[in-house]
Amino acid sequence: MNSKSSGGLKLKLICAFFASLLVLMQSSSEQGQNPLFAQLLNLVAPVAFVFAVVSENFVSSRISLDYFKNYFILFLFIIIFPTAFILIGDPSFFKEFYQSTLYILLPLASVYFIGYLQCTKEDYEQAFFIIFLGCMLSLVPKLMSGDIVYQLIKAGIAGDSEVGTESDIVSFMFGLLTLYYFKNRKYGLFILALLFSILSFKRIVLTGICISLLVYTFLKWYPSLFSHKKMILLFVLLFNLAVPMLMLEATNDSVIAQEISEDWFDTSIESLTMGRKGFYSVITQKLGEPTVIGVGYGKAKAVFIQALGRAEYIHSDLIKLLYELGILGYCIWVFFWYKNNIKQLDMFALSIYMNILFISDNVFVYFPTLFLYYLLQSNFLLNESLLNDSKIKSLKIPSVTPNFLARV
């Protein structure tokens, strides 16, 4: 068995292990997620590491290596180092910092190690189908219980988010797979993934899919616009500064926020934010306005424990990062998040989808979502590497024959 076929088998084994744990996590608990299997998902990282170390050729793609190295450097200098200094003076949230750091590093490390398995494009396609199958199976028990069609209609008309099939993690993953299959022109799987995205009913996911597809299609039609990368980076930076600021402004019951909510959406801010306004209010009351240098990564969770007596999340990664990293660290994070993903339109569209999720959810604590996201980006990098190799091979170099030398 050659190294590539061996690497492909290992990738599929890792994804089968991942998908099995995902099904068990989602289907073995009435509360939505079994905490034991949620913790076991973290074992994907050491399993990937072991497979990488025992691989026949312990070499990774240079493109993939640089991509993930940039993430590690980014997290090291804007999250780990600054928070370590803050913890010297205030060690009260060390546990939350430790947990939050593991949440962002483990999925990244898992896919980094998979890069050493030297898998083919076909290996990745099969691996993604295994994950897709796991996502579908995890939703089957919920689909078979209750009147799902009635719940979906009620949710769409009345704005009720309580749907029996609703699941943060699986919904987010269906959205990623919808975009992947659309890009790969596998329209049968695209429609199926989109259907499950609708059935899992997470409105921010459907919004993210629509916006990402619109951006992707528009830039496909007008590719020259995608060459203006500095302008794109400036736009996404301003967007990501404006959105959390407006969300925080809404928690202060400002007249403008109330008018927008009532005139544009015909509902109250509390209903519009689906109860998240209370979480935002806790943060603003305890931490005030966002500062330049931030309060430290993981501090927001510690604030909720202190204020509410239980562990909670802000339900917005944008607000969380704005407070914990500070305005300076937050801007650096937004810039490099897109700088690292603007190499290809496929990667950029996927990043936009994730960015939409960041607005109202805690994506950075979901190992499965981040694992799939990084794995998809790694696949797009492989496609770029294969394209570059084919271009090099297509270059015609004149052979040095006697006739050629005679002509010279």
Side-chain angles (χ1 to χ4, degrees):
M1 182 179 292
N2 61 47
S3 60
K4 286 195 173 182
S5 61
S6 172
L9 176 61
K10 290 172 183 175
L11 172 62
K12 283 170 266 188
L13 286 173
I14 291 171
C15 290
F17 174 64
F18 169 80
S20 300
L21 289 175
L22 186 67
V23 173
L24 290 170
M25 181 187 72
Q26 292 291 114
S27 60
S28 62
S29 174
E30 294 181 358
Q31 284 72 38
Q33 295 176 22
N34 186 303
L36 172 61
F37 292 112
Q39 291 299 320
L40 288 176
L41 275 168
N42 294 324
L43 292 176
V44 171
V47 168
F49 172 73
V50 171
F51 278 166
V53 170
V54 300
S55 61
E56 297 176 20
N57 189 8
F58 192 58
V59 178
S60 177
S61 163
R62 184 70 205 176
I63 296 176
S64 178
L65 187 66
D66 288 343
Y67 176 80
F68 290 104
K69 181 182 70 176
N70 291 340
Y71 271 125
F72 284 122
I73 293 174
L74 174 64
F75 291 142
L76 187 66
F77 283 99
I78 72 166
I79 291 179
I80 298 176
F81 280 174
T83 305
F85 282 108
I86 294 173
L87 284 168
I88 294 174
D90 178 18
S92 62
F93 65 101
F94 175 79
K95 179 182 177 181
E96 289 73 25
F97 163 68
Y98 171 75
Q99 291 175 338
S100 300
T101 304
L102 282 182
Y103 288 149
I104 61 171
L105 291 182
L106 283 176
L108 191 63
S110 301
V111 180
Y112 173 77
F113 294 135
I114 286 173
Y116 285 93
L117 300 180
Q118 296 193 354
C119 303
T120 65
K121 181 180 177 182
E122 291 72 24
D123 292 329
Y124 274 100
E125 288 179 357
Q126 293 167 14
F128 292 135
F129 183 75
I130 291 171
I131 294 175
F132 186 27
L133 190 61
C135 290
M136 289 188 289
L137 288 175
S138 70
L139 209 62
V140 167
K142 295 181 179 180
L143 286 172
M144 296 177 67
S145 62
D147 191 344
I148 298 304
V149 175
Y150 169 74
Q151 291 182 44
L152 288 171
I153 294 173
K154 179 184 174 185
I157 296 175
D160 181 10
S161 64
E162 296 297 324
V163 178
T165 54
E166 184 177 350
S167 169
D168 289 344
I169 295 177
V170 176
S171 294
F172 297 159
M173 296 174 70
F174 280 133
L176 287 168
L177 290 165
T178 299
L179 297 173
Y180 166 73
Y181 287 125
F182 178 83
K183 179 267 168 188
N184 276 20
R185 298 181 180 179
K186 296 184 180 296
Y187 295 120
L189 291 173
F190 160 71
I191 293 172
L192 189 60
L194 182 60
L195 175 63
F196 272 88
S197 297
I198 295 170
L199 288 174
S200 59
F201 199 77
K202 194 73 176 173
R203 280 171 284 188
I204 193 68
V205 168
L206 300 177
T207 302
I209 290 173
C210 291
I211 293 175
S212 184
L213 287 178
L214 284 171
V215 171
Y216 179 84
T217 305
F218 181 76
L219 292 177
K220 269 286 188 181
W221 287 345
Y222 303 99
S224 61
L225 295 176
F226 192 58
S227 62
H228 300 287
K229 291 184 169 53
K230 291 182 180 179
M231 293 299 297
I232 294 174
L233 289 172
L234 178 61
F235 174 80
V236 295
L237 179 60
L238 293 175
F239 172 83
N240 281 285
L241 276 172
V243 168
M245 292 297 187
L246 289 172
M247 293 167 69
L248 291 172
E249 183 68 18
T251 65
N252 298 325
D253 293 323
S254 69
V255 176
I256 295 176
Q258 290 284 1
E259 288 180 352
I260 291 175
S261 178
E262 292 173 2
D263 295 344
W264 293 11
F265 302 99
D266 192 29
T267 186
S268 65
I269 292 178
E270 185 68 28
S271 176
L272 185 64
T273 60
M274 292 179 289
R276 288 170 170 81
K277 179 188 171 187
F279 293 115
Y280 305 155
S281 298
V282 171
I283 289 297
T284 55
Q285 289 169 11
K286 296 294 182 179
L287 298 178
E289 297 293 326
T291 61
V292 175
I293 60 173
V295 296
Y297 197 67
K299 180 68 174 180
K301 185 178 178 182
V303 166
F304 278 118
I305 294 174
Q306 181 183 10
L308 305 176
R310 66 179 189 274
E312 275 291 355
Y313 297 101
I314 300 180
H315 290 278
S316 171
D317 278 328
L318 295 188
I319 293 179
K320 168 187 167 64
L321 293 176
L322 183 61
Y323 270 99
E324 294 184 337
L325 305 184
I327 297 173
L328 179 61
Y330 178 80
C331 289
I332 294 173
W333 171 76
V334 171
F335 178 81
F336 279 99
W337 170 270
Y338 276 102
K339 184 74 165 60
N340 213 29
N341 292 295
I342 206 170
K343 301 172 184 178
Q344 300 180 36
L345 180 56
D346 305 326
M347 298 173 70
F348 180 67
L350 218 59
S351 297
I352 289 176
Y353 169 77
M354 292 291 285
N355 198 161
I356 299 301
L357 300 186
F358 292 154
I359 294 175
S360 66
D361 282 278
N362 315 296
V363 184
F364 276 122
V365 303
Y366 295 141
F367 178 95
T369 304
L370 292 175
F371 174 76
L372 178 58
Y373 168 74
Y374 291 132
L375 196 62
L376 286 166
Q377 298 293 48
S378 181
N379 168 69
F380 292 144
L381 287 168
L382 172 66
N383 293 342
E384 179 185 349
S385 178
L386 292 174
L387 181 62
N388 291 339
D389 288 345
S390 65
K391 286 181 179 178
I392 292 173
K393 290 178 182 178
S394 66
L395 293 174
K396 297 189 181 279
I397 303 175
S399 58
V400 184
T401 61
N403 290 335
F404 173 76
L405 292 173
R407 289 198 300 273
V408 174

